[in-house]
Each structure stands twice: as structure tokens, then as C-alpha cells.
Amino acid sequence: MSIQTTDTATTAATGVHLRTVTFAHPDAVALNDRVQLEYAERYGDEGDLTFLDPSMFTPPRGLYLIAYDGNGTPLATGGWRAMDENGEGYENGDAELKRMYVTPEARGLGLARRILAALETDAKAAGRVRMVLETGTKQPEAIALYASSGYTLAPAKFGHYRFDDLSRCYAKAL
């Protein structure tokens, strides 16, 4: 399942469109490098060390999106990957949200909310039953977005940072 890559009504109003890309796409790599720098600055470390193989975001077991402005400038990114029960606390049917990021110059335009909604729709259409994510206490904007989008603290932590005191895990039924 792949989402419609251009939302005509929203594109006309904002000049921004969503495009499905691979996690290895040069724009995805550049945005990932930017978010890693932000993580390193906020947490005083080397960034998110979660292993992500580009194939994890290949439909129907995942999806990776970039929001572009009318000039083709990448502004925001996000993806989901299928996760099932394993030693890191996931449950069968999980879709894990990864690499949600909006460039500082594009914040406040609602791009994270658009990407989040598109990813949830796609994951549900792919048969996933729960969207999960891990974020950190030094990302209050992310926590506010997820809370306002119906995510609640997960009863158990999962993922690479499940033992970190700064980690917060959230989940939402799809």
C-alpha cells in the first residue's frame, strides 16, 4: 500500500506535498543527518543509535515520507516500519514510527501532523493494529504532538532505548 503522494487541497493551500521515498534517498539521508545533530545537541551524545535498514521502510512492511515545498526543498520526514513480538518489547501487529522530523524553518506549518496522519493511515491499511514510538524527555514538542494526536504512554517500554530513563514510549490503536 502506498499513500497518494500529493494531497491536492493541502498542496494548493500550502505549496507542500508528501512524497514516498526510500530511507536511502539522498534527501532522507540529509534530513536524518540533521535530526541526528539535533538529538546530539539535546541529549549531549552521538544521536539515535537505533539500527535502521532502508529495507525496513519498504511497502507493505513500512513507508517513508518526505514533505517538500513547491521548490522541491525537503522540509519534513517520517516513516513507519512493521514490528512484531521480539526481545525488545514489541507486540505482534505493531507499526513503529521512526525519524519524525521537521526542519526548524518549517516548524509550525502542521507538517508533522500531516505526515503522522498519512503514516497511520498507511500502516492501518497494511494490516498493522497499533502505532508505537519512542521519544525522549528532551523533545517536549514531539511529546505534545503525540499526546494531542491520541497517543498514550505505553505500559511497557520497547526498542533500543527501553532501559533509558530519558526514554518515553507511546502507543495508539490504529
Side-chain angles (χ1 to χ4, degrees):
M1 163 89 195
S2 179
I3 69 155
Q4 180 180 353
T5 56
T6 302
D7 176 342
T8 307
T10 307
T11 300
T14 66
V16 174
H17 64 280
L18 301 182
R19 185 182 312 159
T20 300
V21 299
T22 68
F23 187 62
H25 186 282
D27 292 337
V29 171
L31 287 171
N32 186 57
D33 289 346
R34 287 184 73 177
V35 74
Q36 292 300 330
L37 289 174
E38 190 164 322
Y39 292 155
E41 183 178 302
R42 288 186 187 216
Y43 293 95
D45 60 19
E46 61 272 30
D48 186 347
L49 299 178
T50 304
F51 172 74
L52 296 177
D53 184 295
S55 67
M56 294 174 169
F57 300 98
T58 303
R61 295 203 38 89
L63 182 73
Y64 206 78
L65 299 174
I66 294 180
Y68 289 91
D69 70 11
N71 297 318
T73 303
L75 303 174
T77 186
W80 74 266
R81 64 180 179 161
M83 298 298 286
D84 289 306
E85 188 174 347
N86 63 24
E88 292 188 356
Y90 298 98
E91 297 176 9
N92 287 334
D94 281 351
E96 184 180 27
L97 193 63
K98 296 302 294 179
R99 296 301 187 263
M100 289 289 292
Y101 176 69
V102 178
T103 61
E105 56 274 14
R107 292 178 183 165
L109 300 177
L111 299 179
R113 198 167 299 280
R114 279 182 61 194
I115 289 173
L116 181 60
L119 293 173
E120 289 172 347
T121 298
D122 188 73
K124 183 176 182 176
R128 301 279 105 186
V129 296
R130 181 176 82 147
M131 184 71 83
V132 299
L133 65 99
E134 185 277 331
T135 190
T137 58
K138 295 185 180 185
Q139 295 166 258
E141 309 92 336
I143 290 171
L145 168 70
Y146 301 131
S148 70
S149 299
Y151 287 78
T152 58
L153 277 170
K157 287 188 171 184
F158 41 79
H160 185 77
Y161 293 98
R162 65 193 174 282
F163 302 118
D164 192 311
D165 290 339
L166 299 177
S167 173
R168 297 295 180 269
C169 293
Y170 291 84
K172 177 181 178 181
L174 294 176

